Amino acid sequence: MGEDGQGMFEVPTGGTGRFEPARLTQARVRLGVSKTDLAAEVGVSAAAIGQYEAGVNSPRPEVLDRLATSLKVRPGFFGVGRPLARIDTLNAHFRSLRSARVSDRQKALATAALVWELTFALERYVKLPDADLPVLAAGATPSEAAATLRAHWGLPDGPVKHLVATAESRGIVVAVRPLREIEAVDAFSAVIVDRPIIITTPRRSENVFRHRFSTAHEIGHLLLHRDPTAHSAAVEKEADEFAAAFLTPAAAMDAVLPQRLDLAALDRLGRTWGVSPKSLVRRMVERGRTTESSARRAYQRLAMIDDPRADPTSAYLGETPSLLKKAAELASDHGVGVSALAEVLKLSAAEVRDLLGDADQRPVLRLVGGGD
């Protein structure tokens, strides 16, 4: 299909089509805008916004245009005829359980839904890897799950060289979203219409070791906690145990961990295995190489010497997700560029590039002397 061709999800009537109430909720929640604030911006009552979202009334065309402008989408975004992922907070795993409000989680899920919609749109033109996660035996422990996944994915004993690329090659969509979108919830994961999706933030991706552990943690959720379940500290602990066992298998660690707490040796070992020295200290406790009290002192020493500016891994971009971006490049090679995807999704081209993780590299023009 060319840039101007008829899309799969074109709305057939009037440019905007019939009104889909859930689309208004999705766009509003994603930006974190209250009904009252949105109503004031578009010149209607808050009750009217509530009626639009409940499907009691539909906005007039001129109101629809103002809603689109305020919520940074095209008017056609609110039309019916496109797949709409309907997920709630019970279907996702969030790391920051205590600080995240329900509204923060809903905002994050609205972003995840858009990532899924982009993935779905791309799959019309590009065959993405099928999701490839094994079904675990009932009652499998995190360590058993890690061993099962390594065997299922055919990973050799030793470090997982590029965890994000490995996950993406098995059909897991990984996206790094800006802090303004999901700062309160940090990393999270969900399965949306059979597609596993992991969302992380720059906070987790600024250091490759933290990003890898966070990604492994979310893979653990996708494997161990498939059914909707109550979120708890125990569930998060299981995901952490899975991440440690997957990245640093016990048998391998028994062979390479030092016999005593040697932070320099752990630093070298961590760079080989792609994990932090802190993670290896925890592993030494678990493998009976040191005590909890010694580990606490080691954590204190690590905190004192931690200097992200001096850490060469801080600038390493090797774990950057690339699945969606490469799929979009392949689609473009076959005549479906970003503008066509934007038309399908009823978003701006800039928004689609942002979802693809394609940062705007253009220099920023700043005007001076014109302000107050």
Side-chain angles (χ1 to χ4, degrees):
M1 189 189 88
E3 291 278 312
D4 298 320
Q6 184 75 9
M8 178 180 181
F9 313 123
E10 289 293 325
V11 179
T13 58
T16 58
R18 289 184 292 114
F19 179 71
E20 170 54 71
R23 286 292 183 190
L24 176 57
T25 304
Q26 180 189 24
R28 180 182 62 77
V29 169
R30 183 170 182 245
L31 291 187
V33 180
S34 70
K35 293 177 184 176
T36 301
D37 290 344
L38 180 61
E41 193 163 342
V42 302
V44 299
S45 67
I49 298 295
Q51 290 174 345
Y52 300 154
E53 294 192 9
V56 175
N57 291 319
S58 296
R60 299 186 307 276
E62 62 272 22
V63 175
L64 200 65
D65 289 341
R66 295 201 294 272
L67 287 170
T69 300
S70 296
L71 297 176
K72 299 179 174 54
V73 296
R74 298 185 184 189
F77 182 85
F78 303 114
V80 299
R82 309 190 315 282
L84 174 60
R86 298 177 185 274
I87 49 178
D88 61 39
T89 56
L90 291 177
N91 299 119
H93 298 283
F94 293 98
R95 297 200 70 174
S96 303
L97 297 175
R98 295 177 180 175
S99 60
R101 300 170 299 180
V102 171
S103 60
D104 293 326
R105 300 182 194 184
Q106 291 174 334
K107 180 180 177 182
L109 286 181
T111 292
L114 271 189
V115 171
W116 173 81
E117 289 178 34
L118 173 60
T119 304
F120 187 90
L122 280 167
E123 285 191 290
R124 174 164 166 74
Y125 313 105
V126 178
K127 179 69 173 70
L128 299 182
D130 293 330
D132 184 22
L133 290 170
V135 177
L136 301 177
T141 66
S143 296
E144 291 167 345
T148 298
L149 185 62
R150 272 188 169 256
H152 185 77
W153 283 359
L155 298 178
D157 293 336
V160 181
K161 292 184 178 178
H162 195 315
L163 178 60
V164 171
T166 300
E168 290 183 316
S169 71
R170 268 70 176 185
I172 299 174
V173 172
V174 182
V176 177
R177 302 306 305 153
L179 289 176
R180 67 177 185 277
E181 289 186 2
I182 58 172
E183 179 176 16
V185 301
D186 210 342
F188 69 100
S189 57
V191 177
I192 305 177
V193 195
D194 297 329
R195 178 63 71 180
I197 294 176
I198 294 175
I199 306 287
T200 66
T201 73
R203 183 189 301 124
R204 285 283 166 182
S205 56
E206 64 189 6
N207 178 284
V208 64
F209 298 150
R210 286 198 292 270
H211 189 208
R212 284 166 56 85
F213 194 88
S214 183
T215 300
H217 174 104
E218 299 304 328
I219 293 173
H221 278 314
L222 294 172
L223 266 180
L224 290 162
H225 312 123
R226 292 188 173 195
D227 296 329
T229 182
H231 304 297
S232 67
V235 166
E236 293 303 303
K237 185 172 182 290
E238 285 184 352
D240 276 344
E241 291 172 357
F242 170 87
F246 184 72
L247 294 174
T248 52
M253 289 299 99
D254 286 343
V256 298
L257 282 174
Q259 295 299 320
R260 61 180 180 82
L261 264 176
D262 180 339
L263 294 185
L266 292 179
D267 182 70
R268 291 191 296 272
L269 188 62
R271 293 178 191 279
T272 299
W273 284 79
V275 297
S276 67
K278 183 177 179 181
S279 175
L280 290 176
V281 171
R282 169 50 44 191
R283 218 64 177 117
M284 289 190 68
V285 174
E286 294 168 350
R287 304 310 301 164
R289 297 290 176 90
T290 192
T291 63
E292 289 281 4
S293 59
S294 295
R296 284 194 292 272
R297 289 192 293 273
Y299 296 149
Q300 292 171 353
R301 288 161 56 196
L302 287 170
M304 292 175 61
I305 62 177
D306 180 48
D307 183 0
R309 294 168 301 179
D311 185 351
T313 64
S314 296
Y316 176 60
L317 299 177
E319 294 278 353
T320 302
S322 61
L323 177 65
L324 295 182
K325 188 176 179 180
K326 288 183 177 178
E329 291 171 353
L330 184 57
S332 181
D333 291 342
H334 289 76
V336 183
V338 167
S339 60
L341 293 171
E343 177 57 29
V344 168
L345 298 170
K346 306 303 178 187
L347 300 171
S348 69
E351 182 76 26
V352 171
R353 291 192 184 93
D354 182 51
L355 290 172
L356 289 170
D358 192 3
D360 191 342
Q361 301 294 333
R362 295 174 299 174
V364 177
L365 173 63
R366 301 188 186 283
L367 301 179
V368 297
D372 54 9

